[in-house]
Amino acid sequence: MCKHGGYYTCHDRYNPGVLQQHKWENCMTIDRTSWGYNRRSASADYLSTHELITELASTVSCGGNLLINVGPTADGRIMPIFEERLRDLGKWLHVNGEAIYETIPWTFQNDTLTPGIWYTSTESAVYATVLSWPDSDVLTLAAPVSTAQTVVRLLGHDVQLTWKEREAGGMTVAFPLLTPAKLPCKDAWVLKLTGLAKSSAQAPPAKELKVDEGIRSNNNDNRMIL
């Protein structure tokens, strides 16, 4: 069942949560209960913006694409709650899109010490999507191996962040002291780490299937399909 089409798609809302050896797609809906418009849906039936970003970050970190469905009304209208969610996601991607588009999985998909961290990477950088602002404005990361050349930035914020190497491995990062109005985005934030040790290597790209197995995709094609 998982092998039909250009990507592996096992079932609705398929998200294995771990790196896969082939490209796959998470097909899901903003309405938790329906692919079509359901006028009986309550506000609790819709995914929040934070939940959508979490789904996006975890999917791309594990080598997948995310397909987000919204159900139009019978006359073709998109309801305001769907529009609000998509606009919120677009605003977040405007700031943090470089952590999603044209990235590949890193050696680690999530942090081995701090929950709510999802990693992606390019040839020159590692990105850590942080789903909750850290307590006391200090974040501990166990996965990255720093060097004297390591630079840490918060996407949407121009100033380099202060970090320290941990004796137990990894690093601590001091988040900037910002008022809510000064935050670059809401719901989740992305750290860009450059100059990491070579041991902080990229994971191998997702395995392509043979042509006769139907694969037609680019391994770096991390699309968000609306």
Side-chain angles (χ1 to χ4, degrees):
M1 181 175 66
C2 294
K3 297 184 180 180
H4 66 278
Y7 299 88
Y8 283 13
T9 306
C10 295
H11 52 73
D12 291 354
R13 303 184 186 278
Y14 174 64
N15 188 346
V18 294
L19 181 62
Q20 302 298 293
Q21 295 305 309
H22 47 257
K23 288 298 291 187
W24 58 279
E25 192 158 86
N26 178 357
C27 302
M28 46 80 71
T29 65
I30 293 179
D31 188 329
R32 303 175 195 272
T33 63
S34 176
W35 281 78
Y37 170 66
N38 182 359
R39 63 183 179 181
R40 295 185 178 181
S41 292
S43 59
D45 294 325
Y46 300 101
L47 293 177
S48 67
T49 300
H50 184 269
E51 288 173 317
L52 284 176
I53 293 172
T54 299
E55 199 71 31
L56 175 63
S58 62
T59 296
V60 175
S61 176
C62 295
N65 292 340
L66 182 63
L67 183 153
I68 300 176
N69 172 77
V70 297
T73 62
D75 57 356
R77 290 179 294 120
I78 300 297
M79 297 305 292
I81 192 167
F82 291 135
E83 179 184 355
E84 178 186 61
R85 295 293 189 273
L86 295 177
R87 289 187 182 278
D88 285 347
L89 192 55
K91 291 176 183 177
W92 188 85
L93 285 167
H94 180 73
V95 175
N96 303 295
E98 68 175 276
I100 300 296
Y101 299 117
E102 298 184 356
T103 60
I104 65 174
W106 190 44
T107 307
F108 297 89
Q109 279 61 68
N110 47 17
D111 197 68
T112 55
L113 181 62
T114 302
I117 308 290
W118 291 96
Y119 292 106
T120 55
S121 67
T122 62
E123 291 184 359
S124 59
V126 170
Y127 299 91
T129 299
V130 183
L131 299 177
S132 298
W133 193 270
D135 294 337
S136 302
D137 301 309
V138 176
L139 180 70
T140 301
L141 299 175
V145 179
S146 60
T147 70
Q149 288 73 46
T150 296
V151 174
V152 182
R153 293 184 180 274
L154 178 69
L155 293 188
H157 183 65
D158 294 334
V159 180
Q160 292 186 25
L161 304 188
T162 302
W163 61 270
K164 292 182 180 179
E165 185 176 359
R166 297 176 67 240
E167 291 184 3
M171 62 199 306
T172 58
V173 180
F175 270 49
L177 301 179
L178 299 175
T179 64
K182 295 292 185 179
L183 290 173
C185 56
K186 297 187 293 184
D187 296 296
W189 300 268
V190 176
L191 297 180
K192 180 178 182 179
L193 300 93
T194 57
L196 295 178
K198 291 184 179 180
S199 57
S200 300
Q202 293 175 322
K207 179 182 178 182
E208 287 194 13
L209 301 179
K210 296 178 181 178
V211 173
D212 59 3
E213 292 181 270
I215 199 73
R216 298 181 299 278
S217 63
N218 184 317
N219 280 333
N220 294 334
D221 183 17
N222 291 324
R223 299 173 296 160
M224 182 181 65
I225 306 172
L226 304 180

